[in-house]
Structure formats: structure tokens, C-alpha cells
């Protein structure tokens, strides 16, 4: 019996170095032209990292330091809006928004303020049904407060604040679509994406950014070790556009 094609497609995008070519959490360190201030921010951030604080905790301390240096919410948002979603990826989002039975989500270890700012200024926020990331908001004093998305104690492959595989699986089970009727296309670059990629099935696809750590983790040895998923290595340029179009022909 011929296998029928899945009826729905779920695109799950990582954000940093996937939808954009920057890392939002390090881009924020370049918020000013004042090299002394940049140097202070970077030195402080590095010392927190060296003392083994988790990434989200380091971001929390960084936002506190920036607040004490009078960086306003407007300045922070305006700085994030300088990050461009590259043209090919924007075209992909526009294309996918017009495809039937297709859903787009983001799963990212950045935060809601950074991601929402960038999506909105490109007019593409409406294309995503959900953005799974660390919740953040400016408090009444203008301090950017960030929380961990959840507490991960079960997955050793993922950081303590975010297991992308768990998020993806919960999203799929809440969407009430039969798993056999769904094909997932997971796009990512980093080691934090490996866990989600590893949980996919035969009808699914992983588009891994060439030259980045996810691509190297998806080595043939690991593929024969259990990953039965279609792996696309991509520069996330026109080659990704060609691949995405091929899914709908
Ligand atoms: Mg990434
Ligand atoms: Zn995980």
C-alpha cells in the first residue's frame, strides 16, 4: 500500500543564527558606540559565565547592569530592531504564510522582548502561531526582567531552562493533529537544537545550518544510532528556499 503524505506541515524555527544571522543575546552587548561601556558589559558578562551561572541568569544580571547604566527600554528595542531577517528567509516566511495546512512556530533560548521586536519590525509576527522562548518584560522602572521558560531536569542534552524536544512534543500533542498526519520541518543551528532534531521521525526534516554545531552533531554515526529523519544541510540562503518550495510541489 502506498504511503499517504502527511496532511499538515509544522515549521519549527530556532531564532539566533537560524531566522537571523546574529545572536540576540550577544548583539545586545553592542548597544552603544562607547567602547568603554561595551568593554564593561562584556567583561561583566564573561565573569558571570566564568562563575558557571546559567545563561538566563547571566542575561538577568546583564539587564540589571544595563538598567543601572540608564539604557532605556526604547533604546534596547531600537537596538534589536537593527537586526535584519535576511531577504531569502523573509521570502520563505511570506511563502509559507500562504501555504495551506502549514503552521509556523519559533522555539528559541532568546527572550520574548528581543524576538517580538525583530518579528514586528519586519511585519512577520502574525505568521507564527506560537513563540516559545524565555518570557521577558520591562517592569515599571524600565528594567528588563527575564525568566526561564521552564525547568528542565530530565533532559541532559538541553540547558536547565529549555528542552526544545519537550516543547515541540507538547506543541504537537496540544495541536490535536495525528502525528502520522504531520510532517515537522525543524530548522536550527546550535547544540540546543540537537535534542529536538533527535526526537523526529521518518516523515520529518531537519534543516541544519552548514558549518554550525547542530550539523556536526548530526554526523552519520549518530544518524545510524537512531535518527530516522531527513537531514538537509543548508546555508539558509537560496538553497533553503529551494528546499522549502520542493515540499509543496
Ligand atoms: Mg540558534
Ligand atoms: Zn532536551
Amino acid at each position: 500500500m502506498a504511503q499517504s503524505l502527511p496532511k499538515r506541515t509544522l515549521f519549527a524555527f530556532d531564532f539566533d543564527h537560524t531566522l537571523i544571522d546574529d545572536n540576540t543575546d550577544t548583539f545586545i552587548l553592542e548597544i552603544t558606540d562607547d567602547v568603554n561601556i561595551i568593554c564593561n558589559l562584556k567583561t561583566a558578562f564573561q565573569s558571570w559565565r566564568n562563575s558557571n551561572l546559567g545563561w538566563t541568569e547571566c542575561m538577568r544580571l546583564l539587564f540589571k547592569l544595563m538598567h543601572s547604566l540608564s539604557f532605556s527600554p526604547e533604546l534596547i528595542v531600537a537596538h534589536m530592531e537593527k537586526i535584519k531577517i535576511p531577504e531569502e528567509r523573509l521570502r520563505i516566511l511570506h511563502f509559507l504564510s500562504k501555504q495551506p495546512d502549514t503552521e509556523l512556530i519559533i522555539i528559541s533560548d532568546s527572550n520574548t522582548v528581543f524576538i517580538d521586536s525583530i518579528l514586528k519590525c519586519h511585519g512577520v509576527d502574525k505568521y507564527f502561531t506560537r513563540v516559545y522562548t524565555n518570557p521577558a518584560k520591562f517592569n515599571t522602572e524600565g528594567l528588563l526582567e527575564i525568566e526561564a521558560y521552564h525547568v528542565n531536569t530530565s533532559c541532559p542534552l538541553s540547558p536547565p531552562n529549555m528542552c526544545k524536544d519537550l516543547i515541540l512534543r507538547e506543541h504537537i500533542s496540544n495541536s490535536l493533529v495525528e502525528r502520522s498526519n504531520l510532517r515537522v520541518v525543524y530548522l536550527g543551528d546550535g547544540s540546543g537544537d540537537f535534542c529536538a532534531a533527535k526526537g523526529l521521525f521518518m516523515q520529518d526534516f531537519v534543516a541544519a545550518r552548514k558549518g554550525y554545531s547542530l550539523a556536526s552533531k548530526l554526523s552519520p554515526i549518530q544518524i545510524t544510532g537512531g535518527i530516522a529523519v531527513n537531514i538537509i544541510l543548508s546555508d539558509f540562503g537560496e538553497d533553503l528556499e529551494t528546499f522549502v518550495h520542493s515540499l509543496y510541489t
Side-chain angles (χ1 to χ4, degrees), residues 42-85:
K42 287 184 174 173
T43 306
F45 192 80
Q46 196 51 52
S47 73
W48 299 322
R49 288 296 292 155
N50 292 345
S51 53
N52 277 332
L53 293 176
W55 190 265
T56 316
E57 183 58 25
C58 292
M59 294 313 294
R60 184 180 294 122
L61 292 171
L62 177 68
F63 297 151
K64 272 191 180 167
L65 177 58
M66 289 174 63
H67 185 250
S68 75
L69 295 169
S70 302
F71 286 102
S72 67
E74 294 74 23
L75 204 62
I76 290 171
V77 168
H79 182 65
M80 297 321 290
E81 287 176 349
K82 290 179 191 159
I83 296 183
K84 294 281 160 272
I85 299 178

Short mmCIF file of all heavy atoms in Angstrom, two decimals, residues 42-85:
data_model
loop_
_atom_site.label_atom_id
_atom_site.label_comp_id
_atom_site.label_asym_id
_atom_site.label_seq_id
_atom_site.Cartn_x
_atom_site.Cartn_y
_atom_site.Cartn_z
N LYS A 42 30.86 43.54 28.45
CA LYS A 42 31.40 42.24 28.04
C LYS A 42 32.21 41.58 29.16
O LYS A 42 32.14 40.36 29.36
CB LYS A 42 32.27 42.40 26.78
CG LYS A 42 31.45 42.66 25.53
CD LYS A 42 32.31 42.72 24.28
CE LYS A 42 31.43 42.85 23.05
NZ LYS A 42 32.18 43.07 21.82
N THR A 43 32.99 42.39 29.87
CA THR A 43 33.80 41.85 30.97
C THR A 43 32.91 41.28 32.06
O THR A 43 33.15 40.18 32.58
CB THR A 43 34.72 42.95 31.55
OG1 THR A 43 35.46 43.51 30.48
CG2 THR A 43 35.66 42.40 32.60
N ALA A 44 31.85 42.05 32.41
CA ALA A 44 30.94 41.58 33.45
C ALA A 44 30.26 40.28 33.01
O ALA A 44 30.21 39.31 33.77
CB ALA A 44 29.89 42.65 33.74
N PHE A 45 29.81 40.27 31.76
CA PHE A 45 29.10 39.09 31.25
C PHE A 45 30.01 37.86 31.30
O PHE A 45 29.61 36.79 31.74
CB PHE A 45 28.61 39.35 29.82
CG PHE A 45 27.64 38.32 29.33
CD1 PHE A 45 26.31 38.36 29.71
CD2 PHE A 45 28.05 37.29 28.49
CE1 PHE A 45 25.40 37.41 29.27
CE2 PHE A 45 27.14 36.33 28.05
CZ PHE A 45 25.82 36.39 28.44
N GLN A 46 31.25 38.06 30.87
CA GLN A 46 32.20 36.95 30.84
C GLN A 46 32.48 36.43 32.26
O GLN A 46 32.59 35.22 32.48
CB GLN A 46 33.50 37.37 30.15
CG GLN A 46 34.39 36.22 29.72
CD GLN A 46 33.64 35.15 28.91
OE1 GLN A 46 32.99 35.46 27.93
NE2 GLN A 46 33.70 33.89 29.34
N SER A 47 32.58 37.36 33.22
CA SER A 47 32.87 36.90 34.59
C SER A 47 31.70 36.09 35.15
O SER A 47 31.91 35.13 35.88
CB SER A 47 33.22 38.09 35.49
OG SER A 47 32.06 38.83 35.77
N TRP A 48 30.47 36.48 34.79
CA TRP A 48 29.32 35.67 35.25
C TRP A 48 29.35 34.29 34.60
O TRP A 48 29.07 33.29 35.23
CB TRP A 48 27.99 36.37 34.93
CG TRP A 48 27.84 37.71 35.58
CD1 TRP A 48 28.25 38.05 36.85
CD2 TRP A 48 27.27 38.89 35.01
NE1 TRP A 48 27.95 39.37 37.09
CE2 TRP A 48 27.35 39.91 35.99
CE3 TRP A 48 26.69 39.20 33.79
CZ2 TRP A 48 26.89 41.20 35.77
CZ3 TRP A 48 26.22 40.49 33.56
CH2 TRP A 48 26.32 41.48 34.54
N ARG A 49 29.68 34.27 33.31
CA ARG A 49 29.77 32.98 32.60
C ARG A 49 30.85 32.11 33.25
O ARG A 49 30.66 30.92 33.44
CB ARG A 49 30.10 33.19 31.12
CG ARG A 49 28.99 33.77 30.29
CD ARG A 49 27.77 32.88 30.20
NE ARG A 49 27.99 31.65 29.46
CZ ARG A 49 27.30 30.54 29.61
NH1 ARG A 49 26.35 30.47 30.52
NH2 ARG A 49 27.56 29.48 28.87
N ASN A 50 32.00 32.75 33.58
CA ASN A 50 33.11 32.00 34.18
C ASN A 50 32.74 31.43 35.54
O ASN A 50 33.33 30.44 35.97
CB ASN A 50 34.36 32.88 34.31
CG ASN A 50 34.94 33.23 32.94
OD1 ASN A 50 34.58 32.63 31.94
ND2 ASN A 50 35.81 34.23 32.89
N SER A 51 31.82 32.09 36.24
CA SER A 51 31.45 31.56 37.56
C SER A 51 30.30 30.55 37.44
O SER A 51 29.59 30.29 38.42
CB SER A 51 31.11 32.69 38.53
OG SER A 51 30.15 33.54 37.97
N ASN A 52 30.12 30.02 36.22
CA ASN A 52 29.19 28.92 35.98
C ASN A 52 27.73 29.25 36.21
O ASN A 52 26.94 28.36 36.51
CB ASN A 52 29.57 27.69 36.82
CG ASN A 52 30.66 26.90 36.13
OD1 ASN A 52 30.77 26.93 34.91
ND2 ASN A 52 31.49 26.23 36.91
N LEU A 53 27.38 30.53 36.10
CA LEU A 53 25.95 30.87 36.18
C LEU A 53 25.31 30.43 34.86
O LEU A 53 25.94 30.47 33.81
CB LEU A 53 25.79 32.38 36.36
CG LEU A 53 26.28 32.95 37.69
CD1 LEU A 53 26.15 34.46 37.69
CD2 LEU A 53 25.48 32.35 38.84
N GLY A 54 24.05 30.04 34.94
CA GLY A 54 23.33 29.65 33.72
C GLY A 54 23.15 30.86 32.80
O GLY A 54 23.26 32.02 33.24
N TRP A 55 22.87 30.57 31.52
CA TRP A 55 22.77 31.65 30.53
C TRP A 55 21.68 32.66 30.90
O TRP A 55 21.88 33.88 30.84
CB TRP A 55 22.50 31.03 29.14
CG TRP A 55 22.63 32.02 28.04
CD1 TRP A 55 21.61 32.74 27.47
CD2 TRP A 55 23.84 32.44 27.38
NE1 TRP A 55 22.12 33.57 26.49
CE2 TRP A 55 23.47 33.40 26.42
CE3 TRP A 55 25.19 32.09 27.51
CZ2 TRP A 55 24.41 34.02 25.58
CZ3 TRP A 55 26.12 32.70 26.68
CH2 TRP A 55 25.73 33.65 25.74
N THR A 56 20.52 32.17 31.30
CA THR A 56 19.41 33.07 31.62
C THR A 56 19.74 33.96 32.81
O THR A 56 19.40 35.15 32.83
CB THR A 56 18.12 32.27 31.91
OG1 THR A 56 18.00 31.24 30.93
CG2 THR A 56 16.89 33.14 31.85
N GLU A 57 20.45 33.38 33.80
CA GLU A 57 20.86 34.16 34.97
C GLU A 57 21.85 35.25 34.54
O GLU A 57 21.79 36.39 35.03
CB GLU A 57 21.49 33.22 36.01
CG GLU A 57 21.91 33.89 37.32
CD GLU A 57 20.76 34.60 38.04
OE1 GLU A 57 19.59 34.23 37.84
OE2 GLU A 57 21.06 35.56 38.79
N CYS A 58 22.76 34.93 33.63
CA CYS A 58 23.70 35.93 33.12
C CYS A 58 22.96 37.06 32.41
O CYS A 58 23.30 38.24 32.56
CB CYS A 58 24.71 35.30 32.15
SG CYS A 58 25.83 34.16 32.96
N MET A 59 21.94 36.71 31.64
CA MET A 59 21.16 37.75 30.95
C MET A 59 20.43 38.62 31.96
O MET A 59 20.35 39.83 31.81
CB MET A 59 20.15 37.11 29.98
CG MET A 59 20.75 36.38 28.80
SD MET A 59 22.06 37.25 27.90
CE MET A 59 21.16 38.63 27.20
N ARG A 60 19.92 37.99 33.03
CA ARG A 60 19.22 38.76 34.06
C ARG A 60 20.16 39.79 34.68
O ARG A 60 19.81 40.96 34.85
CB ARG A 60 18.68 37.81 35.14
CG ARG A 60 17.86 38.50 36.21
CD ARG A 60 17.33 37.53 37.26
NE ARG A 60 16.37 36.60 36.69
CZ ARG A 60 16.48 35.28 36.71
NH1 ARG A 60 17.51 34.72 37.32
NH2 ARG A 60 15.57 34.51 36.16
N LEU A 61 21.38 39.36 35.00
CA LEU A 61 22.37 40.27 35.59
C LEU A 61 22.78 41.35 34.59
O LEU A 61 22.98 42.51 34.97
CB LEU A 61 23.59 39.48 36.06
CG LEU A 61 23.34 38.54 37.25
CD1 LEU A 61 24.55 37.64 37.48
CD2 LEU A 61 23.03 39.34 38.51
N LEU A 62 22.91 40.97 33.32
CA LEU A 62 23.27 41.95 32.30
C LEU A 62 22.20 43.04 32.18
O LEU A 62 22.52 44.24 32.11
CB LEU A 62 23.45 41.25 30.94
CG LEU A 62 23.77 42.18 29.77
CD1 LEU A 62 25.15 42.80 29.93
CD2 LEU A 62 23.66 41.45 28.44
N PHE A 63 20.93 42.64 32.17
CA PHE A 63 19.85 43.63 32.05
C PHE A 63 19.84 44.56 33.27
O PHE A 63 19.55 45.75 33.14
CB PHE A 63 18.49 42.93 31.88
CG PHE A 63 18.38 42.11 30.62
CD1 PHE A 63 17.57 40.99 30.56
CD2 PHE A 63 19.10 42.46 29.47
CE1 PHE A 63 17.47 40.23 29.39
CE2 PHE A 63 19.01 41.70 28.30
CZ PHE A 63 18.19 40.59 28.27
N LYS A 64 20.17 44.01 34.44
CA LYS A 64 20.26 44.85 35.65
C LYS A 64 21.37 45.88 35.50
O LYS A 64 21.21 47.06 35.83
CB LYS A 64 20.54 43.99 36.89
CG LYS A 64 19.30 43.46 37.54
CD LYS A 64 19.64 42.84 38.90
CE LYS A 64 18.38 42.31 39.54
NZ LYS A 64 18.64 41.45 40.67
N LEU A 65 22.52 45.41 35.02
CA LEU A 65 23.66 46.31 34.83
C LEU A 65 23.31 47.39 33.80
O LEU A 65 23.59 48.58 34.00
CB LEU A 65 24.89 45.50 34.38
CG LEU A 65 26.16 46.28 34.05
CD1 LEU A 65 26.62 47.11 35.24
CD2 LEU A 65 27.28 45.33 33.61
N MET A 66 22.67 46.99 32.71
CA MET A 66 22.29 47.96 31.68
C MET A 66 21.30 48.97 32.22
O MET A 66 21.36 50.16 31.90
CB MET A 66 21.70 47.23 30.46
CG MET A 66 22.75 46.47 29.68
SD MET A 66 22.06 45.48 28.35
CE MET A 66 21.38 46.77 27.34
N HIS A 67 20.39 48.49 33.08
CA HIS A 67 19.42 49.41 33.70
C HIS A 67 20.13 50.42 34.59
O HIS A 67 19.83 51.62 34.57
CB HIS A 67 18.40 48.60 34.50
CG HIS A 67 17.30 49.42 35.07
ND1 HIS A 67 17.18 49.67 36.42
CD2 HIS A 67 16.29 50.08 34.47
CE1 HIS A 67 16.13 50.44 36.63
NE2 HIS A 67 15.56 50.69 35.47
N SER A 68 21.13 49.95 35.34
CA SER A 68 21.88 50.86 36.22
C SER A 68 22.68 51.87 35.41
O SER A 68 23.04 52.95 35.90
CB SER A 68 22.80 50.06 37.16
OG SER A 68 23.91 49.58 36.43
N LEU A 69 22.98 51.54 34.15
CA LEU A 69 23.70 52.46 33.26
C LEU A 69 22.73 53.30 32.42
O LEU A 69 23.13 53.95 31.46
CB LEU A 69 24.64 51.67 32.33
CG LEU A 69 25.79 50.93 33.04
CD1 LEU A 69 26.50 49.97 32.07
CD2 LEU A 69 26.79 51.92 33.63
N SER A 70 21.43 53.23 32.79
CA SER A 70 20.38 54.06 32.18
C SER A 70 20.06 53.74 30.72
O SER A 70 19.65 54.62 29.96
CB SER A 70 20.73 55.56 32.29
OG SER A 70 20.90 55.90 33.63
N PHE A 71 20.25 52.49 30.30
CA PHE A 71 19.79 52.11 28.97
C PHE A 71 18.28 51.91 29.05
O PHE A 71 17.80 51.06 29.79
CB PHE A 71 20.47 50.81 28.50
CG PHE A 71 21.91 51.02 28.11
CD1 PHE A 71 22.93 50.66 28.96
CD2 PHE A 71 22.22 51.61 26.89
CE1 PHE A 71 24.27 50.87 28.61
CE2 PHE A 71 23.55 51.83 26.52
CZ PHE A 71 24.58 51.45 27.39
N SER A 72 17.55 52.70 28.29
CA SER A 72 16.08 52.70 28.40
C SER A 72 15.48 51.56 27.57
O SER A 72 16.12 51.03 26.66
CB SER A 72 15.54 54.03 27.86
OG SER A 72 15.77 54.11 26.46
N PRO A 73 14.21 51.21 27.86
CA PRO A 73 13.51 50.21 27.04
C PRO A 73 13.51 50.61 25.56
O PRO A 73 13.73 49.75 24.69
CB PRO A 73 12.08 50.22 27.60
CG PRO A 73 12.25 50.65 29.02
CD PRO A 73 13.39 51.62 29.04
N GLU A 74 13.28 51.89 25.29
CA GLU A 74 13.22 52.35 23.88
C GLU A 74 14.55 52.10 23.18
O GLU A 74 14.61 51.69 22.02
CB GLU A 74 12.90 53.85 23.82
CG GLU A 74 11.50 54.23 24.31
CD GLU A 74 11.34 54.15 25.83
OE1 GLU A 74 12.36 54.24 26.57
OE2 GLU A 74 10.19 53.96 26.29
N LEU A 75 15.64 52.34 23.90
CA LEU A 75 16.97 52.16 23.31
C LEU A 75 17.25 50.67 23.05
O LEU A 75 17.80 50.31 22.00
CB LEU A 75 18.02 52.71 24.29
CG LEU A 75 19.35 53.15 23.70
CD1 LEU A 75 19.17 54.28 22.71
CD2 LEU A 75 20.29 53.59 24.83
N ILE A 76 16.83 49.84 23.99
CA ILE A 76 17.06 48.40 23.85
C ILE A 76 16.25 47.86 22.66
O ILE A 76 16.79 47.14 21.81
CB ILE A 76 16.69 47.67 25.17
CG1 ILE A 76 17.72 48.02 26.24
CG2 ILE A 76 16.61 46.15 24.95
CD1 ILE A 76 17.37 47.54 27.64
N VAL A 77 14.98 48.25 22.58
CA VAL A 77 14.14 47.77 21.47
C VAL A 77 14.68 48.30 20.13
O VAL A 77 14.80 47.56 19.15
CB VAL A 77 12.66 48.19 21.67
CG1 VAL A 77 11.84 47.97 20.41
CG2 VAL A 77 12.06 47.41 22.84
N ALA A 78 15.06 49.59 20.10
CA ALA A 78 15.57 50.18 18.86
C ALA A 78 16.85 49.47 18.42
O ALA A 78 17.09 49.27 17.22
CB ALA A 78 15.83 51.67 19.04
N HIS A 79 17.65 49.06 19.39
CA HIS A 79 18.89 48.35 19.04
C HIS A 79 18.57 46.98 18.43
O HIS A 79 19.15 46.59 17.42
CB HIS A 79 19.78 48.20 20.28
CG HIS A 79 21.09 47.54 19.99
ND1 HIS A 79 22.04 48.11 19.18
CD2 HIS A 79 21.58 46.34 20.38
CE1 HIS A 79 23.07 47.29 19.09
NE2 HIS A 79 22.82 46.21 19.81
N MET A 80 17.63 46.27 19.03
CA MET A 80 17.27 44.95 18.50
C MET A 80 16.66 45.07 17.11
O MET A 80 16.83 44.18 16.27
CB MET A 80 16.29 44.21 19.43
CG MET A 80 16.81 43.88 20.80
SD MET A 80 18.52 43.36 20.90
CE MET A 80 18.44 41.76 20.13
N GLU A 81 15.97 46.17 16.85
CA GLU A 81 15.34 46.36 15.54
C GLU A 81 16.37 46.58 14.42
O GLU A 81 16.01 46.57 13.25
CB GLU A 81 14.35 47.52 15.59
CG GLU A 81 13.09 47.16 16.37
CD GLU A 81 12.12 48.31 16.54
OE1 GLU A 81 12.49 49.47 16.25
OE2 GLU A 81 10.99 48.06 17.00
N LYS A 82 17.62 46.76 14.81
CA LYS A 82 18.68 46.87 13.78
C LYS A 82 19.00 45.50 13.16
O LYS A 82 19.62 45.42 12.11
CB LYS A 82 19.97 47.43 14.39
CG LYS A 82 19.86 48.88 14.80
CD LYS A 82 21.19 49.32 15.43
CE LYS A 82 21.05 50.66 16.10
NZ LYS A 82 22.09 50.89 17.11
N ILE A 83 18.60 44.43 13.87
CA ILE A 83 18.89 43.08 13.34
C ILE A 83 17.95 42.78 12.18
O ILE A 83 16.73 42.90 12.31
CB ILE A 83 18.71 42.01 14.45
CG1 ILE A 83 19.73 42.23 15.56
CG2 ILE A 83 18.85 40.60 13.85
CD1 ILE A 83 19.68 41.18 16.66
N LYS A 84 18.53 42.41 11.07
CA LYS A 84 17.73 42.14 9.87
C LYS A 84 17.47 40.64 9.73
O LYS A 84 18.37 39.83 9.94
CB LYS A 84 18.48 42.62 8.62
CG LYS A 84 18.64 44.12 8.56
CD LYS A 84 17.35 44.79 8.09
CE LYS A 84 17.27 46.26 8.46
NZ LYS A 84 16.70 46.58 9.77
N ILE A 85 16.24 40.28 9.36
CA ILE A 85 15.98 38.93 8.88
C ILE A 85 16.40 38.92 7.41
O ILE A 85 15.88 39.71 6.62
CB ILE A 85 14.48 38.55 9.01
CG1 ILE A 85 14.04 38.61 10.48
CG2 ILE A 85 14.22 37.15 8.43
CD1 ILE A 85 12.56 38.31 10.71
#
